[in-house]
Structure formats: C-alpha cells, structure tokens
Amino acid sequence: MKLFHIPQSALFNVVVRVTYRSEWPDGFGARGWKLDIALDDPEIIASTPSPGERINTSVLVHDILDHYVSGFPPSGHRNEAKALIQLGTRTGSDPRPDYEQMVDEDLMHGVVYGESMRSFLPPRAVQLLPLDVISGKEAIDFLVNILGHDSLRSMFVERFFELGYRGVPLAQASWNRHGLGYERSTAIGTCLQWLLEEADQILVNGAFSFGTGFFQIGNQACQITLEEPLNTAFNRSV
C-alpha cells in the first residue's frame, strides 16, 4: 500500500465506485474501467487510464468529474455537450473537435442519443420541419435540402456550444452541493489521473481479469481503494 502524507483536516466529499475488467463483454473486447453507475449503459465503453493526445487526463476522469460530479449523466448528446465544456474548463482543451466528430458520426445521420432529433435541434431549425417529419433521418434529409449540408453541420456545432455553456452554472452548483471547490477541478483531475494509473498498473502487473473499488474525492486529497481482487489503497494530496 502506497500512502502519501495528507492533512489530517482533509475530508473526502464524494465517493465514486468503479469496476475494472481485462476484457469487457461489450462486443469490443475493451480493457479498462467503468463507473458502476454506467455498467449497464451500452453507450459507455470501458476506458484505459491513458490520457488523450490533447488532454492530460483519461476518459474515466472525464466521466467522474465532468459528468458525475458536475451533475450530467454519462450518456446522451446533450449531457456530453455540457460535460465537454467542463473538460475544456478543467484541462484547457477545445471541445470543437469532439463536437464536430459527434455531428459527423451521429447527428448528420439522424442519430441523437438521449432524446428525439426534434427536441435536440435549435428552435430555428424545428420551425422549418413539417409536423409529419418524425424520425431523425427524415429531419436531417429535410433540413439538408433546405439549408445545405455544411450550413446544417455548422448549426449543429453551434448548438453543442450553446448547450454546453448553458450547463456551466448547473455544474458549478453541483460541485458546491458535493462540497467540492469548482476552482479545484484541474488539480483534482490531475490527482485522480495519478491514482488511476497506479491502480491500473497493479491490476495489469498481477494479470487480474477483474477488479472493483472506489475513489474518494476531496478538496485537499483523493484516494482510490481496490477491494477486489485484493485490498489496497493509494492516496495523494491535491
């Protein structure tokens, strides 16, 4: 067990349970971690501790801080729009490439997760739709004919930014309810990333196929406790 000195006054305000598998039965054979609250969500694919090319923390840390702590469920395009603004605030990353990817891969094909296409569209686009246009694909085909592909694509990207920034006060209020300082998000994210990498290395080195545990998050320190297949804990000051 590897413990760091943390202030005696440090409190853990939030507990987040996680599960690890060396191979998830999700059709992708992914190795990595999931939040327990998302175990049954087919949209959520397990993630490794590896940070992205543009971002210094992993997808799991994004799910913990920018979704769970910020009060946005882990799936759905509207929730992801809000969570990506939180990610940008926390890491300095630009959400535009992720917004554009979701537009190109999902929305322009008539797919919206978490709601209907009509409810996701900005009001000015909804006003253009006939009432008998029901499916997402029908809506996209109709709007492309009127607005053109590039204009509709730009409208969707703008919609993501609008929804994302609309979520900022909601996220701030959620962090406050959890007793966490919103201004501490960058430091807390870095701390969680270190703990995740340490725990992941233990499970990989031990060739374990399954693991369970939980993060404890505070303003001054964070900790991860592995319960299965072994009992150990790591903590680190924020």
Side-chain angles (χ1 to χ4, degrees), residues 87 128 142 156 169 173 196:
L87 177 66
L128 299 174
F142 186 89
F156 272 133
L196 175 61

Coordinates of all heavy atoms in Angstrom, one line a residue, residues 87 128 142 156 169 173 196:
L87 N -14.8 19.7 -19.3 CA -13.5 19.2 -19.7 C -12.6 20.3 -20.1 O -11.4 20.4 -19.7 CB -13.6 18.1 -20.7 CG -12.3 17.5 -21.2 CD1 -11.6 16.7 -20.1 CD2 -12.5 16.6 -22.4
L128 N -38.7 24.9 -39.2 CA -38.6 24.6 -40.6 C -39.2 23.2 -40.9 O -39.6 22.9 -42.0 CB -37.2 24.6 -41.1 CG -36.5 25.9 -41.0 CD1 -35.0 25.8 -41.4 CD2 -37.1 27.0 -41.9
F142 N -34.6 16.5 -44.7 CA -35.4 17.6 -45.0 C -34.6 18.9 -44.8 O -34.6 19.8 -45.7 CB -36.6 17.7 -44.1 CG -37.6 18.8 -44.4 CD1 -38.6 18.6 -45.3 CD2 -37.5 20.0 -43.8 CE1 -39.5 19.6 -45.6 CE2 -38.4 21.0 -44.1 CZ -39.4 20.8 -45.0
F156 N -25.4 22.6 -36.0 CA -25.3 21.6 -35.0 C -24.1 21.9 -34.1 O -24.2 21.7 -32.8 CB -25.1 20.2 -35.6 CG -26.4 19.5 -35.9 CD1 -26.6 18.8 -37.1 CD2 -27.4 19.4 -34.9 CE1 -27.8 18.2 -37.4 CE2 -28.6 18.8 -35.2 CZ -28.8 18.1 -36.4
P169 N -23.4 27.0 -15.1 CA -24.0 27.2 -13.8 C -24.5 26.0 -13.1 O -24.4 25.9 -11.9 CB -25.0 28.3 -14.0 CG -25.4 28.2 -15.4 CD -24.2 27.8 -16.1
A173 N -23.1 24.6 -9.5 CA -24.0 24.3 -8.4 C -23.8 22.9 -7.9 O -23.9 22.6 -6.7 CB -25.4 24.6 -8.8
L196 N -5.5 6.6 -10.7 CA -6.0 5.6 -11.6 C -4.8 4.9 -12.3 O -4.9 3.6 -12.4 CB -6.8 6.3 -12.7 CG -7.3 5.5 -13.8 CD1 -8.2 4.4 -13.3 CD2 -8.1 6.4 -14.8

